[in-house]
Amino acid sequence: MPLTPETLPRHELVGLDCEVVAASNPDVIGISGTVAMETTQMLTLEGADRVWHVPKDSATFAFDLSTETVLVDGDRLVARPARRTENTGDSLWR
């Protein structure tokens, strides 16, 4: 499955450039970097001088694809990465 704006939540996020554009915690808005790690509840963003851990469920993320920027509500990303990216079964992320 090709990486498109519609299929982004079904793909591996590690390595993508990302920015927090909205969040319940105003201190994390504007944080940007490369996704270094992902857990069920958290994205780890590696910036030029720091690493941040941002909860998925309380933020909206902007991911930079080669052709455009895609906004994703973090609630759509809350799941184990292996479960969210699977290609078989009754996935909630199809």
Side-chain angles (χ1 to χ4, degrees):
M1 168 182 346
L3 179 58
T4 65
E6 295 79 25
T7 64
L8 180 71
R10 300 260 314 154
H11 281 275
E12 178 67 46
L13 302 177
V14 173
L16 294 177
D17 290 329
C18 179
E19 179 180 359
V20 181
V21 294
S24 60
N25 177 359
D27 294 336
V28 300
I29 297 172
I31 289 175
S32 63
T34 302
V35 179
M37 188 174 79
E38 178 187 7
T39 64
T40 301
Q41 299 288 329
M42 195 85 56
L43 281 183
T44 301
L45 300 178
E46 185 174 330
D49 60 343
R50 188 168 171 189
V51 174
W52 294 276
H53 302 283
V54 182
K56 292 177 181 177
D57 65 349
S58 61
T60 300
F61 301 94
F63 292 95
D64 287 331
L65 300 183
S66 59
T67 58
E68 62 187 294
T69 299
V70 180
L71 293 178
V72 178
D73 184 13
D75 288 334
R76 292 191 61 207
L77 302 174
V78 175
R80 286 185 358 196
R83 174 82 171 123
R84 198 186 73 244
T85 60
E86 72 183 1
N87 291 322
T88 59
D90 294 333
S91 176
L92 300 173
W93 296 271
R94 287 187 182 232

